[in-house]
Amino acid sequence: MAVPAALIPPSSLVQPCPISTSSSASSASSSSCSATAASSSSPSATSASPSQSATQNLFRTDLLSTNTSSIPLAGKPVYSTPSPVENTPQNNECRMVELRGAKVASFTVDGQELICLPQAFDLFLKHLVGGLHTVYTKLKRLEITPVVCNVEQVRILRGLGAIQPGVNRCKLISRKDFETLYNDCTNARLEHSFSASK
C-alpha cells in the first residue's frame, strides 16, 4: 500500500544530487549520490521508520484465538425439560374427577391432585385460544410448570380416551394452576372481543 508523502519523515527522503558542469565533479557527486541512495534504501537498516512500525502494529495477533470452546456465553439462559412422574402404582392410579361440570382424568402425585391438561384444554379452552401451543406459551408467562406424565400414565390416558390414540406424551396440571390459566384465557378473549367491537 502506498504511504502518503506527508506521513514519511524527512530523514527517509533521498536528497537530490547537485548538478555540476565538470566531469570530475560529476563523477564524484554521482558516486556520493549512489552511496547515499544505497544507505537510505539498504535492507540491512537496523530500525524501521515510524510509519512502518505503525503499520505493522495496527493489529494485535495475540488477541486472536482459534480456540473458542473455553469462552463462556454470558447471559444465555439454560432450559431443561422436567423429569416425568416416578413410575409407581400410587402415581399411576387414575380417577375421574369433576371439573367445572365435566369429568376429567386425574392422578394423585405426592399428595396433589393433577388433571390431564390436553383433556381440560379440549373441554374448556379450545374455544378461547388458538391451540395447545398457545396454552404452553401462557403457562410459561404465568410461571406455571406442568408435570410430565410417565409412560404408564400416558397409556392409561389413551385407554380412557382422555388423549388421542397416537399421542405418546402428556402433561398434568393442578386445579389451582388450571383456574389461573382459565382466567387468563378468558380475560384475553374478553379483551380481544372488546377491542374488536370498537
Side-chain angles (χ1 to χ4, degrees):
M1 182 178 71
V3 180
L7 298 178
I8 301 176
S11 59
S12 63
L13 295 176
V14 178
Q15 299 296 327
C17 298
I19 299 174
S20 178
T21 54
S22 64
S23 59
S24 61
S26 175
S27 61
S29 63
S30 64
S31 62
S32 64
C33 283
S34 301
T36 305
S39 63
S40 63
S41 61
S42 174
S44 61
T46 56
S47 62
S49 64
S51 61
Q52 292 173 337
S53 301
T55 305
Q56 292 172 355
N57 294 330
L58 283 178
F59 300 99
R60 292 183 57 187
T61 56
D62 59 322
L63 295 179
L64 299 177
S65 174
T66 57
N67 183 17
T68 58
S69 60
S70 61
I71 301 176
L73 299 178
K76 186 176 181 180
V78 178
Y79 297 103
S80 60
T81 304
S83 300
V85 174
E86 186 181 359
N87 195 347
T88 64
Q90 292 81 8
N91 290 340
N92 297 340
E93 185 177 346
C94 184
R95 295 186 303 123
M96 299 301 293
V97 297
E98 186 171 336
L99 178 68
R100 291 183 167 269
K103 293 288 186 179
V104 296
S106 73
F107 296 94
T108 301
V109 179
D110 295 332
Q112 185 179 25
E113 183 184 70
L114 303 174
I115 61 176
C116 176
L117 180 57
Q119 186 182 25
F121 166 78
D122 284 334
L123 291 172
F124 306 108
L125 305 177
K126 184 183 276 187
H127 65 287
L128 296 176
V129 296
L132 196 56
H133 62 281
T134 306
V135 169
Y136 289 127
T137 302
K138 286 179 176 292
L139 289 174
K140 185 178 291 187
R141 179 174 54 80
L142 294 169
E143 298 182 352
I144 297 174
T145 304
V147 177
V148 181
C149 292
N150 61 40
V151 177
E152 184 62 20
Q153 289 174 332
V154 172
R155 188 189 66 79
I156 293 171
L157 292 173
R158 280 201 305 256
L160 292 173
I163 56 178
Q164 298 297 321
V167 175
N168 58 7
R169 288 179 298 178
C170 186
K171 292 187 178 181
L172 307 173
I173 190 172
S174 68
R175 283 178 177 265
K176 179 182 176 182
D177 289 340
F178 175 77
E179 290 299 328
T180 302
L181 173 65
Y182 181 83
N183 292 333
D184 185 82
C185 293
T186 305
N187 293 336
R189 180 64 180 265
L190 291 175
E191 290 174 3
H192 177 74
S193 301
F194 181 73
S195 61
S197 62
K198 284 186 176 180

